[in-house]
Amino acid sequence: MKIAVPVKFVPDLVEELTIAPGGSALDTTWLRLIISEFDDHAVEQAILLKEHVGGQVTVLTIEAEGSDDFLFTAAAKGADQLIKFTGDFSNSNNHALAHVYADLLKLVQPDLILTGVQAHNDLDGPVGPLLAEYLGLPYVGYVAGITVSADHVVVRKEYAGGLIAEMELKLPAVLGIQAAEQPPRYVAYSKIRQVMGTAKIEERAVASLDTGGTVEVSRMFLPEVAERATMLEGAADQIADRLVSIFRELGTL
Amino acid sequence: MNQDIFVVIEHLQRKVLDISFVMLAAARQLANSTGGNVTAVLLGFNAQGLAGNLSADIVLYVDQPALAEFTSDAYQKILAGLIQEQAPRAVLFGHSSIGMDIASGLSAKLSLPMVSSCHSFSDDGKYVSQICGGKIMAEGMLPGPTVLVSMVPGGYKAEQGQSSQAPALTNVPAPALAELRVTLKQYIEPDKSDVDITKEPILVAVGRGIQNKDNIDLANDLATALGAVVCASRPVVDQGWMPTTRLVGKSGKQVKPKIYLALGISGAPEHIEGMGESDTIIAINTDPYAPIFNVAKYGAVLDLLDLAPALTEKVKGAKGG
Amino acid sequence: MTYEVVKSAIVFLGLLVALGLFAWRVYQLLWVNLRRGQPSGKFGCWGERIKGLLQYVGAQFRLFRILVPGTAHFFIFWGFLILSLTIFQAIVEGLIAFAKPDFVLPIIGRFGPLALLQDVFALLVIAAVAYGLIVRLIINPERYKGSHKGEGVKVLAFIFTIMLSLLVMNGARIHLGEDPLRAWRPISTFVGSIFGGLQDNVQIFIREAAYWLHLGIVLLFLTELPHGKHFHIVTSIPAILLRNLEPPGKLPPAGEFDGNPGVGKIEQFHWRQMLDFYTCSECGRCQEVCPAYQSGAPLSPKLLIMNLRDNLKERGHAMTAGSTNGALKKALVGEVITDEVLWACTTCFACDQECPLFIEHVAPIADMRRRLVIEGRMDKILQDALANLGRYGNSFGQSDRMRAKWTMGLQPAIRDARREAVEYLWFVGDYASYNTTLTEVTRKTAQVFQKSGLNYGILYDSERNAGNDVRRVGEEGLFEMLVDKNSQIFAKVKYQTIVTTDPHSFNTLKNEYTKNGDDRLSVIHYSELLDQLISSGKLKLSKKLGYKVTYHDPCYLGRYNGIYDAPRRVIEATGCELVEMPRHGSRSLCCGAGGGRIWMEEKTVKERPSESRIHEAAALDNVQVFIVACPKDYTMYMDAVKTTGNEKKLVVKDLIELVNEAL
């Protein structure tokens, strides 16, 4: 079973986000990038499938801060092929990324493509369905559970409120991963260092990007806080007293 | 040029989902600026009845067995034809498990621009989207002639998209679907054996601040004293400290209790999506900058491990007389 | 064929068989298995090692930490040495019985005072053995849970019999007029008088019967020796001689197998560790002081070593026999020692310190944890903590840029050691920097440093977690990365001494970091610095606080690095009255947060160590303040005071808060 996992890197929300002077984009000075959480799950799910049914896992990404480390970590987990696209991605969007991935995957012809169901910096829709469409493949997202057969997969699709739909897709297909069957495993540093000596990252240059399909952003800003809560002061006892009187006012006591 | 705003109605198991009403309300605002109609697009099988309370000018209804319940392939194929034919000004999808399966696929297939995570529209027809975990807002003009938009809840109230009068329904013929690559096998219902938190008037919610499984007893004690039920945010459920039936949030349950007591919950957008509409939110958190304080009515910066026992005592005292 | 000839023949054969069996078993169990182990490196420091033999074997120092059993063992041990000559006598006299039936060893056999000593010791041994039997059969303390008590009782019975038969034999001899040293053997005389009235031929019979019993049990004991916990009789001297002389705070480096650190098979331990496993006498002193064991966790350091020993024997036997049976398939990490047991350890070092035989428990645990980390077998919370440490340099998952947020608003601003030379480089530590409850204490520390006119600076956001607990959790690679990052900064900074508020950071910076090759860094703990500043007059305390306080010795400050007095002098200087808890100094009970346990889910069945400690403090008369000198202790005990409902009785304060108040 050939599995491909395209991943992308997004702003690390642990850091403070600020707007660039132009007012329509994020300030990249203090920005740090981290793997999109759902893409991390997609890699884990792919490795799990390889462990269950055997096969080959290819992880693809575009060059970004930390992309090499991530690819080597994926190799330490069991990924077989690592591909990194190089070029100028400063103006890229998900449509462009999907085109880049699709061009390569048309040649690789994987049986299954797993990618995160979304990334928090998506503004022109998630990558998964775009990629599926460019490759002419079916797509189901919000997947948390996959059973593989020779020519089809059965997936558990999550709806709100805990409802799950079991869907069957004909292979080859693209799946948007919400959660892997187990959280992404930890890889010890010594293992990653070991793998750096043996695994190779294939680099492929991308000349130009097709960024059509997105919408212009004229302004980016930090959300205004409409109203802030009435803050209660004091020690636990005093606040508890205040809360009891609030409960009384609301009629619950 | 068609200035109508299409809204793709989301329904599951013969019930229209709230996001559909939120989108209809959004569509109304957008339509006011474009001068077009609000058109609800309903796909289903013998599902005309679902259109009963949609606040739309017209309903375009496509009836086919394959559309009875949502599957990405079928819905996308039908909508592709419909959008191409009708060329509306904008098509609104939910930023959900239904909408996100098809919206960007249609954007690729029809080469139409797309904007996602849209929170609301401005009166002059701009979109306002919420990205980076709700920390950043992006705004811009909606490009023409047709744009696809996926919407998150929070910008409009569901009631605004509901109407007491059923809108006019038009049956739209569509070619029979064949060779569908995605089929629904079955639904797996969530565990109904536990208490239904959506029906509780008072909820005591615990987040990461609870620190470990043992401390949940403190919340249980408080809930018992208040006659409430304990629920939790994602980190607590992920650790296995509370069952998924108690999860409040985007992937859990949406609750609207009279009182929502949020203990040690930071207030990530995914959680707010599940409880933002509660009548009175009271938040306790050690971080004075926690986003939960922006939606709460009352708040206090202290450790829930200090407050919970103290509050339990006071409540017992108040009730005991 | 006379009786004497038969006697010699039997003694000869018996000796041959017993020595043969003994040698064979020692060869199989010890030599063959130890050779399968990894090399142990150089030993050196022979002077200190010989001194250790005198103190810990000769004087039995550590055994006296529990007074009465220690005394009993002292007598048994010395009795064994002193009376070994009588055994030698018995063997030789038996061997040459056919030629010289009344043989007596030259010189020593005729030395009166020695005979007296032997006689007295025989009685002392009997008394000690009787005590031992009472303890095992009646008192049955917790520390024996899991030990092979039956074996213990059997051996005590052996020793008792050997001693009694010796006295009886001597007594009979005295009666038969065969002992020129009779005046020097009062005990034997007394024993002899019990059957004194019997006729001569009966006395001879008694004498011979006692002899056979005596020698027989000795030879039987000899053959049994290699099997059980009494092997320590053979292995304890080499084990103590060859013990690890490195500072306790320096974890031995990780051996690599298949390119990855960590021990996954018993043969991957080095042979001196294997010697340790054989030396365990199952006394349970380690188990008694283990905080994990006390809290109901599945870890017992004693059982850990016993299981390692059994696996060593089992595997050794299977490998020698060439069989591929179950023993070789049993996984060391996971089956012999479960994941749960390995993760339960707080690395507090109480076990290593208590062990009279210097068996290392923490080092093998760390070795096996390294394997668990390689295989990703750990709590999700721990995984997240390690991922955060790797990415952000702190376990909280907060940006490294926020590390110095606590300094905001401090006037004057603290020197940036990266830009200007300082005398003291203050390594603040994660908890003190990021934990909102602790940053108040950190600010007070800055104020105190300021008031004493200290020339100091911090690394602001270039500081990373020092890595002490990362190493003890078993993530060697991450530890090395953190050491690298911190060392690079240290190399660029001009400073004289590093001072740190966190004992964990203190431990690793002092014992495991190097510069210019093998040189250690100059590091002190802030309690030592305060002590120096106060005694030199640079820091003046104007008030006498008059609180009644107790002080909790942090594991990594006290047990690991021997710093007990400096904090106490500081407390004294603030005018407080110090009342010691029963478990103080090197017996201090770990708060339970070490060894990475603060990053793991608590699965306590019984009482948490931190709660047990608070109860201990609360039981002290009128003590109001619980003093700590470690940020993790601070958070653990603040919590424990609440959960035990002692908020009105005790308040937790850091040492610096006392000093700050007394300024």
Side-chain angles (χ1 to χ4, degrees):
Chain A
M1 161 135 282
K2 255 203 260 184
I3 310 176
V5 189
V7 303
K8 75 168 187 167
F9 290 82
V10 298
D12 188 349
L13 299 182
V14 159
E15 311 287 340
E16 244 178 86
L17 296 177
T18 47
I19 312 293
S24 63
L26 287 175
D27 191 336
T28 53
T29 337
W30 296 114
L31 203 65
R32 279 222 186 108
L33 296 178
I34 195 173
I35 185 70
S36 169
E37 192 193 332
F38 298 110
D39 286 342
D40 205 10
H41 278 257
V43 170
E44 179 69 25
Q45 183 64 68
I47 300 290
L48 286 169
L49 285 177
K50 179 184 168 182
E51 286 170 358
H52 293 330
V53 303
Q56 217 209 13
V57 173
T58 302
V59 180
L60 314 93
T61 189
I62 61 163
E63 190 172 38
E65 174 206 332
S67 54
D68 279 12
D69 279 339
F70 183 77
L71 288 174
F72 283 125
T73 308
K77 293 183 189 180
D80 304 280
Q81 196 184 14
L82 313 170
I83 299 179
K84 181 172 76 168
F85 292 98
T86 56
D88 180 9
F89 294 101
S90 47
N91 287 322
S92 89
N93 57 35
N94 284 345
H95 283 69
L97 281 184
H99 278 301
V100 169
Y101 293 141
D103 287 341
L104 180 65
L105 293 175
K106 273 189 189 108
L107 307 171
V108 170
Q109 303 227 322
D111 301 298
L112 192 58
I113 299 173
L114 303 181
T115 190
V117 63
Q118 59 182 329
H120 64 60
N121 69 344
D122 286 341
L123 202 48
D124 60 328
V127 172
L130 294 169
L131 182 57
E133 198 52 44
Y134 292 145
L135 292 171
L137 298 178
Y139 173 87
V140 170
Y142 288 82
V143 170
I146 306 177
T147 318
V148 172
S149 302
D151 62 347
H152 65 273
V153 282
V154 174
V155 302
R156 290 164 67 99
K157 180 182 168 65
E158 280 191 358
Y159 284 117
L163 179 68
I164 305 230
E166 247 184 31
M167 302 257 190
E168 189 181 297
L169 295 94
K170 285 199 170 50
L171 289 178
V174 179
L175 300 176
I177 302 295
Q178 165 78 12
E181 277 152 45
Q182 70 186 38
R185 66 194 72 179
Y186 181 79
V187 183
Y189 264 68
S190 52
K191 250 183 142 177
I192 301 176
R193 272 210 307 265
Q194 213 187 3
V195 143
M196 277 179 178
T198 52
K200 275 239 135 347
I201 297 179
E202 284 173 45
E203 291 194 7
R204 283 163 185 271
V206 172
S208 60
L209 293 174
D210 179 356
T211 56
T214 191
V215 167
E216 217 188 288
V217 176
S218 58
R219 182 168 84 107
M220 265 197 195
F221 54 98
L222 301 170
E224 287 120 33
V225 176
E227 262 172 38
R228 204 169 141 79
T230 310
M231 298 306 281
L232 310 171
E233 303 287 329
D237 273 341
Q238 296 161 282
I239 295 186
D241 277 329
R242 266 294 273 137
L243 287 176
V244 165
S245 47
I246 292 174
F247 288 148
R248 281 218 172 88
E249 282 168 41
L250 293 169
T252 37
L253 273 185
Chain B
M1 199 103 86
N2 192 333
Q3 291 296 314
D4 292 339
I5 310 296
F6 277 25
V7 173
V8 177
I9 300 297
E10 299 195 357
H11 61 90
L12 276 178
Q13 297 178 307
R14 316 298 291 176
K15 194 163 170 284
V16 175
L17 303 179
D18 266 0
I19 188 70
S20 311
F21 299 118
V22 170
M23 288 194 284
L24 287 169
R28 179 61 58 197
Q29 182 182 24
L30 197 54
N32 284 340
S33 67
T34 67
N37 282 329
V38 170
T39 307
V41 178
L42 181 64
L43 308 185
F45 186 55
N46 292 334
Q48 296 90 330
L50 293 177
N53 64 343
L54 301 176
S55 169
D57 297 318
I58 30 165
V59 177
L60 294 179
Y61 176 62
V62 182
D63 188 281
Q64 256 195 62
L67 300 172
E69 290 290 329
F70 174 78
T71 54
S72 52
D73 214 11
Y75 270 57
Q76 188 171 308
K77 284 194 160 92
I78 296 290
L79 285 170
L82 201 60
I83 294 171
Q84 229 171 3
E85 207 185 282
Q86 304 269 338
R89 179 67 182 84
V91 185
L92 307 188
F93 299 84
H95 191 95
S96 65
S97 194
I98 290 179
M100 295 315 283
D101 266 16
I102 49 180
S104 47
L106 287 167
S107 161
K109 191 184 183 79
L110 306 172
S111 296
L112 294 174
M114 163 144 193
V115 61
S116 50
S117 296
C118 178
H119 174 265
S120 52
F121 298 106
S122 63
D123 287 324
D124 53 348
K126 287 205 185 84
Y127 73 85
V128 179
S129 279
Q130 157 188 324
I131 56 171
C132 292
K135 290 190 170 189
I136 299 284
M137 308 299 280
E139 187 187 74
M141 294 305 296
L142 287 169
T146 304
V147 62
L148 306 180
V149 183
S150 75
M151 298 211 64
V152 295
Y156 306 88
K157 286 209 179 312
E159 294 83 60
Q160 295 171 274
Q162 289 167 339
S163 135
S164 44
Q165 261 192 313
L169 190 121
T170 312
N171 283 299
V172 178
L177 293 163
E179 284 181 34
L180 289 172
R181 299 165 300 175
V182 181
T183 45
L184 172 67
K185 291 187 74 178
Q186 57 165 340
Y187 283 118
I188 300 173
E189 296 291 334
D191 185 4
K192 293 247 157 71
S193 60
D194 194 12
V195 70
D196 187 354
I197 53 174
T198 60
K199 302 219 167 28
E200 294 291 323
I202 312 177
L203 287 175
V204 174
V206 295
R208 222 185 271 271
I210 200 82
Q211 285 179 38
N212 64 51
K213 195 173 185 170
D214 292 329
N215 288 337
I216 297 197
D217 285 337
L218 296 173
N220 282 331
D221 289 340
L222 179 56
T224 311
L226 275 172
V229 162
V230 180
C231 62
S233 63
R234 188 121 203 183
V236 172
V237 171
D238 276 349
Q239 292 288 358
W241 298 340
M242 289 225 82
T244 5
T245 43
R246 303 292 182 105
L247 176 60
V248 170
K250 190 192 178 94
S251 17
K253 301 214 169 108
Q254 266 75 55
V255 296
K256 291 178 210 182
K258 211 153 176 247
I259 302 180
Y260 191 87
L261 186 54
L263 305 176
I265 293 179
S266 62
E270 293 76 38
H271 186 74
I272 307 284
E273 235 183 89
M275 42 65 78
E277 309 239 325
S278 310
D279 285 349
T280 306
I281 300 170
I282 304 173
I284 309 290
N285 198 299
T286 49
D287 176 10
Y289 299 111
I292 190 92
F293 290 126
N294 298 332
V295 297
K297 189 148 181 214
Y298 299 102
V301 179
L302 80 161
D303 195 340
L304 75 95
L305 299 177
D306 285 330
L307 179 76
L311 186 55
T312 307
E313 227 187 278
K314 301 276 177 183
V315 168
K316 276 190 192 155
K319 278 197 168 167
Chain C
M1 188 82 87
T2 59
Y3 169 71
E4 280 76 16
V5 173
V6 175
K7 180 170 176 179
S8 293
I10 294 177
V11 173
F12 178 69
L13 282 171
L15 196 62
L16 207 62
V17 169
L19 280 177
L21 273 174
F22 175 75
W24 174 245
R25 283 170 185 169
V26 171
Y27 171 72
Q28 288 288 60
L29 288 173
L30 207 58
W31 182 250
V32 169
N33 282 336
L34 256 52
R35 289 203 60 196
R36 289 191 178 116
Q38 305 305 308
S40 264
K42 289 193 186 293
F43 286 103
C45 296
W46 290 107
E48 203 183 324
R49 294 187 183 279
I50 306 272
K51 181 167 145 209
L53 274 189
L54 295 173
Q55 287 175 311
Y56 300 110
V57 177
Q60 304 261 294
F61 264 12
R62 280 194 173 177
L63 277 154
F64 285 105
R65 284 170 73 95
I66 311 182
L67 190 60
V68 183
T71 313
H73 189 273
F74 183 85
F75 288 141
I76 294 180
F77 172 74
W78 278 105
F80 184 78
L81 285 187
I82 290 168
L83 291 158
S84 58
L85 290 168
T86 64
I87 294 172
F88 186 54
Q89 155 79 31
I91 291 172
V92 177
E93 92 182 36
L95 282 177
I96 60 172
F98 68 97
K100 202 177 188 308
D102 53 355
F103 169 81
V104 166
L105 288 171
I107 306 171
I108 15 177
R110 299 183 196 285
F111 189 48
L114 182 61
L116 176 62
L117 198 63
Q118 288 172 344
D119 228 37
V120 169
F121 261 90
L123 184 65
L124 289 173
V125 171
I126 288 177
V129 162
Y131 172 76
L133 283 169
I134 292 172
V135 172
R136 276 160 187 71
L137 295 174
I138 300 173
I139 301 180
N140 209 356
E142 183 72 33
R143 70 176 187 273
Y144 284 147
K145 218 164 162 195
S147 306
H148 293 103
K149 275 217 301 295
E151 201 187 306
V153 169
K154 181 176 78 177
V155 169
L156 283 171
F158 280 179
I159 299 174
F160 183 82
T161 315
I162 292 172
M163 293 295 106
L164 194 61
S165 59
L166 175 71
L167 291 172
V168 166
M169 190 172 67
N170 286 351
R173 284 222 173 96
I174 287 170
H175 258 285
L176 292 168
E178 291 168 4
D179 190 3
L181 296 176
R182 65 199 297 154
W184 296 95
R185 296 193 220 266
I187 316 292
S188 302
T189 312
F190 172 73
V191 170
S193 68
I194 294 172
F195 49 87
L198 298 168
Q199 290 181 308
D200 268 14
N201 55 347
V202 181
Q203 299 269 8
I204 291 174
F205 177 75
I206 291 174
R207 183 197 70 200
E208 288 308 304
Y211 173 82
W212 285 117
L213 191 61
H214 182 81
L215 193 63
I217 301 289
V218 165
L219 293 181
L220 182 62
F221 191 15
L222 186 65
T223 60
E224 297 259 303
L225 207 58
H227 275 314
K229 60 195 184 99
H230 285 87
F231 206 10
H232 78 269
I233 294 177
V234 170
T235 60
S236 57
I237 289 177
I240 292 180
L241 187 66
L242 300 176
R243 73 190 187 285
N244 183 10
L245 288 178
E246 295 277 16
K250 183 176 173 198
L251 208 55
E256 269 190 28
F257 304 97
D258 320 315
N260 283 308
V263 164
K265 297 195 189 125
I266 203 106
E267 308 87 68
Q268 290 170 349
F269 282 115
H270 54 84
W271 64 260
R272 212 220 69 236
Q273 282 173 309
M274 291 174 162
L275 190 63
D276 267 359
F277 305 156
Y278 276 123
T279 310
C280 177
S281 62
E282 302 183 19
C283 72
R285 283 152 188 259
C286 55
Q287 184 172 291
E288 202 168 47
V289 292
C290 175
Y293 185 78
Q294 282 176 35
S295 71
L299 168 66
S300 149
K302 176 188 79 185
L303 292 173
L304 178 90
I305 300 294
M306 283 165 64
N307 288 334
L308 290 172
R309 175 195 65 199
D310 291 344
N311 186 245
L312 180 59
K313 283 158 85 167
E314 236 177 41
R315 268 183 85 84
H317 182 75
M319 282 167 104
T320 308
S323 76
T324 47
N325 67 8
L328 289 177
K329 290 206 178 69
K330 224 200 255 181
L332 174 67
V333 178
E335 291 183 72
V336 178
I337 312 286
T338 62
D339 292 28
E340 231 192 315
V341 162
L342 288 172
W343 287 125
C345 178
T346 68
T347 69
C348 75
F349 210 65
C351 50
D352 276 35
Q353 184 184 248
E354 206 64 33
C355 181
L357 296 157
F358 282 84
I359 296 170
E360 291 184 315
H361 306 75
V362 177
I365 289 176
D367 273 334
M368 289 186 277
R369 277 182 172 184
R370 286 166 186 153
R371 185 103 320 231
L372 288 176
V373 167
I374 292 292
E375 295 180 16
R377 285 150 68 174
M378 52 181 122
D379 258 8
K380 175 94 184 18
I381 319 181
L382 178 57
Q383 281 198 33
D384 289 344
L386 290 175
N388 286 330
L389 283 159
R391 189 179 166 83
Y392 304 109
N394 69 81
S395 60
F396 297 95
Q398 290 186 42
S399 171
D400 46 290
R401 294 192 193 118
M402 294 287 122
R403 188 175 274 273
K405 201 159 122 187
W406 65 270
T407 60
M408 267 173 19
L410 281 179
Q411 287 299 332
I414 302 181
R415 283 195 185 91
D416 187 343
R418 300 169 296 182
R419 300 220 176 94
E420 35 179 318
V422 291
E423 199 185 333
Y424 288 96
L425 174 59
W426 180 17
F427 190 91
V428 187
D430 282 6
Y431 268 76
S433 306
Y434 286 104
N435 184 309
T436 39
T437 329
L438 290 165
T439 44
E440 264 318 297
V441 176
T442 318
R443 288 165 76 94
K444 286 191 185 139
T445 314
Q447 281 166 14
V448 172
F449 285 172
Q450 180 63 29
K451 284 253 163 66
S452 27
L454 200 69
N455 180 333
Y456 76 101
I458 62 175
L459 293 171
Y460 282 88
D461 50 79
S462 295
E463 196 185 288
R464 294 278 174 279
N465 185 292
N468 188 68
D469 286 15
V470 169
R471 183 150 213 226
R472 275 122 192 100
V473 151
E475 232 292 31
E476 278 295 291
L478 177 56
F479 173 70
E480 280 164 25
M481 192 272 270
L482 289 167
V483 170
D484 220 18
K485 281 227 162 88
N486 279 325
S487 299
Q488 278 176 27
I489 299 287
F490 291 156
K492 294 200 189 110
V493 173
K494 291 194 177 50
Y495 68 95
Q496 302 265 24
T497 312
I498 298 177
V499 59
T500 174
T501 30
D502 186 336
H504 291 235
S505 311
F506 172 69
N507 182 64
T508 189
L509 288 170
K510 181 161 185 223
N511 298 308
E512 295 176 322
Y513 275 61
T514 54
K515 63 176 177 193
N516 307 328
D518 280 323
D519 284 343
R520 298 253 151 258
L521 302 180
S522 167
V523 191
I524 58 168
H525 186 249
Y526 81 110
S527 60
E528 295 179 281
L529 179 62
L530 287 172
D531 185 35
Q532 284 170 21
L533 292 171
I534 292 173
S535 56
S536 70
K538 288 209 185 96
L539 179 60
K540 292 196 196 340
L541 299 176
S542 58
K543 300 188 204 127
K544 290 282 169 207
L545 296 176
Y547 296 134
K548 226 175 166 188
V549 309
T550 187
Y551 171 69
H552 169 80
D553 292 281
C555 304
Y556 278 96
L557 190 64
R559 257 193 298 277
Y560 270 102
N561 290 289
I563 296 171
Y564 300 109
D565 296 329
R568 286 175 166 80
R569 283 194 290 266
V570 174
I571 292 174
E572 211 189 338
T574 64
C576 289
E577 190 193 328
L578 176 64
V579 181
E580 298 281 10
M581 289 181 274
R583 293 175 294 191
H584 66 277
S586 67
R587 275 271 168 75
S588 179
L589 180 71
C590 175
C591 74
R597 281 227 50 88
I598 204 159
W599 301 323
M600 298 185 216
E601 210 183 312
E602 234 188 304
K603 290 175 191 146
T604 352
V605 176
K606 295 189 209 162
E607 195 181 36
R608 286 194 192 115
S610 54
E611 288 178 357
S612 163
R613 197 64 164 144
I614 292 297
H615 283 136
E616 194 179 347
L620 297 171
D621 238 1
N622 287 323
V623 161
Q624 318 146 285
V625 189
F626 187 92
I627 307 287
V628 295
C630 166
K632 292 171 196 70
D633 279 338
Y634 197 84
T635 44
M636 292 299 284
Y637 290 120
M638 289 278 266
D639 238 11
V641 164
K642 283 180 211 152
T643 52
T644 55
N646 274 307
E647 292 105 312
K648 302 221 188 335
K649 218 167 182 265
L650 275 180
V651 68
V652 176
K653 280 192 209 248
D654 189 286
L655 190 63
I656 205 73
E657 291 183 275
L658 266 195
V659 172
N660 199 29
E661 248 183 278
L663 279 177

